[in-house]
Amino acid sequence: MIRLAFVELCGFRGYSRRVRVDFASGFTVIDGRNGVGKSSLFDAVEFALLGTLEKYGNQTAAGESASDYIWWRGKGTPPSDRYVEVGFEIDDKIVSLRRTMLEPPDELQLKSVVDQLLDVGRAPESGLRQLCSTSIIRDEKIAELSLDLKEADRFRLLRDALGASDADRWIKRASDVLGLARKRLAVAENDVQQAVIGLNLSTQRVDQAKQLIRDDRAIQDARDGLLQYLGGNVPTHELVTAVQTRILADQAWVDVLASILDGWDTTDADRTKISETEASLAAAAERAADAEKKVRELDDLLSTEPAAAEVRSRADTFGTLLAVGREIGLQDGECPLCGKEQTDLEFQVGIASNERRVAKLDDTAVKKAKLEQDRQAAAVTLQAASELRQRLTIAREASLRRISELDAKLQALDLKPDVARSVIEARHLEFKEAVDRAKRFLAVVDTRSVDATLRNSLAGHDDAQKRRAHAEEKLAFARQAEQRAKLLHDTCRRASGEMLERQLEVVMPLMSELYQRLRPHPVWDEIAYKLRGDVQKFLTLQVGDELNPQFIYSSGQRRATGLAFLLAVNLSLTWNRWSTLMLDDPVQHIDDYRSIHLAEVLSKFVASGRQIICAAEDSALADMVARHLLAREGVPGKRITLGVGEDGALSVLRDEVVEPLPRNIFIDSDHLKQAQ
Amino acid sequence: MSLLSHVDDKLSDSGFATKVVEGEPPHMLFESANLVGVVLEFESVAELVETWEARLNRIIGQHRFAFKRSGPKAWNSYAILITADVADDDLKPVLTAIEEDLTGTRKIVRSGCRSDHDLIVALLPLLPIQNSPEIPVIDFADEVQIRLPEMPDDVFRAFFTDASDGIVLQVLEES
């Protein structure tokens, strides 16, 4: 068994300077007032092993957590170092774990200690954490982890203590497999659903293909109809081809007749209008000839004289000069225009004569302009007549072409151009009905395409059936797997519960015994621990007539009951190799009478080889506990008092070995057997 | 066989030195490495309630020198007051009150001590831990397999290994 040898701490919690506490191998009872660092010794052991302090959980306040207060942060001279070091006695050797503010313990050393503390093969995954929570029993955890615990959590605590949590791993695995099986089952069910839909569709296609298949009488009727359509006997094997050829030909005639009917009204109008168009064309040609002749005549007239604009320009220039000359008048007997010496009369006569010439010139310009306008008008007339003639020519040619084309179509049909429209319509209907009828007969007679469709449908149906069968097979597998996975999962859970029940049957007497020893209640001196629940398990505590002590016990009684449970759990840890049991102020709120009960229980623990480290606030209470614990030769006990030293720092004020008590007081050595 | 003889046997078996004193009143002394004590037997609960203090004081007087010699061990002195008579509900609190009176000695007061079990319960504070659970080691895989005889063996071979969940499922489907 492994024991706790010492705790050394510096700069940890409230300890500013180095303090070392060596524990006795039998028991150590520590006392000290509030705040002198008793709990910090317990903290140090847990912190060295886990690196955390579980008792604070995840508590935070103002952005800070317990982890911010692990290392000393008081006023005054800071500590020279910050660390905790915990020594374990393993096979008469001391192995220490040192955790500083910056560095965890040596990994190999931690592993070697943990391997000694736990039976690693049987311990649950969180074994070290559980060991700390059940071996380091703290004041604040006694009630929380015992009587006040929810029944399901109490069950889990006990289950983990018994090392049965291996089942959890398999239950989780079974749960994962079941989840996977359910997903695969859902996929398989969907596949079957899709396959059934596909099969239904293929069945519909087969039914449709089968509907196309007629009976023999219908086929014979269709064959006769086709022969009648062809107008003669044709070998059976050539019938379809011959009919298809004939249909193509007749369909062409149907198209021709349709085109005749389409253009019938237009052509009819063409025939009516053609003579009118030709008359209009002749008139337009005559108008064009007249206009052309007039243009030529005017061109002749206009080509002999200057253009009207030029004449008008001359008249204007000459007139302007005359006006200027008249305005100026004779200048020293000379004409201002020509410089010729003249008399005033000659000058006036000359001006007047020239003004007449200007007027004549102007008249000529006016006549000239009129001719030019006439010529322009004749040219416009000529152009309009030409354009009209051109349009009429095109229209006449189009009409003639349509008439010609229609006549050609009629001629091809052996019809005269004056055939009535009703004849064409009757012929068109006759051809069209014959072609349609032939197509229907052909569809009946030509079973080859029907066969192909049916064959394809049947093949598709076969595929769909195979797909469905395959999907059903996969579904059956998936369903079987899901059922088996569920069975496996349920069985794992059931086996876990039943295994625990069997184990609990073994542990239950110890729990009852510890309760009887601590005697929380004067009347209800027995307690029953009951497991209930099938899937989720609960551990129920009952006293008297199935009463729940959680709701009727006083604070001290609850703590005593809780202690009985926790001590039983600790003793039941099948994978525990750590003989040390640390109790931090376990007698708080417990009266002196029941404190003696606890001291008696602890004395039995010490007598059975367990190491007890117990802290109490009251020194008299600590003395009482120490007296009950058994100091023996080679297995000493210790009394330690913590307090504030002369330098103001937390210190060990008292460190005394508890001597074995005197023997043979009442009974001489002959009667005294080897005492416990 | 008197109750004292039975107590003698129980304590002796648990490593106590014992000595029956034939005197007035008759009693039994017992001692271990860390405690001493005296056992007194009463005919009835009523006698116990009425006479326990006088009888106990008389016995302590008889052994006053031994108590004086015991030094700190005297702090761990016990008085066991027992009777085979069964206490009625009215007297039970009285017995409890005697027991909770820590003056002088730690007192264990029990009525109705008629069987071996009754005596063990009465002497429990002095006896070693009676129950030492030996939790049976149970193979979980075996437990599950026993409960599922119809399940193919391949399933267990796949399930209780590190095979992936997919492989386990495949075995569940195919086997």
Side-chain angles (χ1 to χ4, degrees), chain A residues 305-452:
Chain A
E305 292 182 18
E310 186 180 342
V311 176
R312 190 182 301 121
S313 175
R314 283 183 196 167
D316 290 346
T317 305
F318 203 13
T320 302
L321 280 171
L322 288 174
V324 171
R326 184 186 292 279
E327 183 70 24
I328 296 170
L330 282 173
Q331 294 289 315
D332 296 334
E334 290 181 358
C335 176
L337 298 174
C338 62
K340 188 178 175 182
E341 289 185 357
Q342 288 181 320
T343 66
D344 188 54
L345 184 59
E346 288 173 336
F347 178 69
Q348 290 300 332
V349 170
I351 289 296
S353 171
N354 280 307
E355 284 178 343
R356 282 193 296 276
R357 286 177 64 188
V358 168
K360 190 177 176 182
L361 199 56
D362 191 54
D363 289 343
T364 302
V366 169
K367 288 175 182 172
K368 197 76 174 182
K370 178 69 172 64
L371 285 174
E372 287 175 353
Q373 285 175 357
D374 290 346
R375 198 265 173 204
Q376 192 173 4
V380 169
T381 302
L382 175 59
Q383 187 178 0
S386 298
E387 288 174 357
L388 177 60
R389 190 174 57 184
Q390 191 176 3
R391 281 200 303 277
L392 288 170
T393 300
I394 291 169
R396 186 190 61 182
E397 287 174 355
S399 294
L400 289 174
R401 189 182 68 250
R402 283 194 291 272
I403 291 167
S404 172
E405 287 173 355
L406 186 64
D407 289 348
K409 289 176 184 175
L410 292 173
Q411 192 177 2
L413 290 164
D414 290 332
L415 295 170
K416 293 180 179 176
D418 58 350
V419 69
R421 179 188 174 106
S422 59
V423 174
I424 304 297
E425 287 173 342
R427 183 73 64 87
H428 174 257
L429 185 61
E430 182 186 343
F431 269 101
K432 189 171 183 306
E433 286 180 348
V435 167
D436 290 345
R437 193 164 49 247
K439 283 180 179 175
R440 286 198 298 276
F441 288 150
L442 191 61
V444 174
V445 171
D446 185 11
T447 57
R448 287 175 302 177
S449 61
V450 174
D451 287 345

Side-chain angles (χ1 to χ4, degrees), chain B residues 28-47:
Chain B
M28 192 191 85
L29 294 171
F30 62 93
E31 183 175 354
S32 73
N34 64 334
L35 62 87
V36 294
V38 55
V39 184
L40 278 169
E41 181 185 357
F42 298 87
E43 290 295 322
S44 67
V45 175
E47 184 191 33

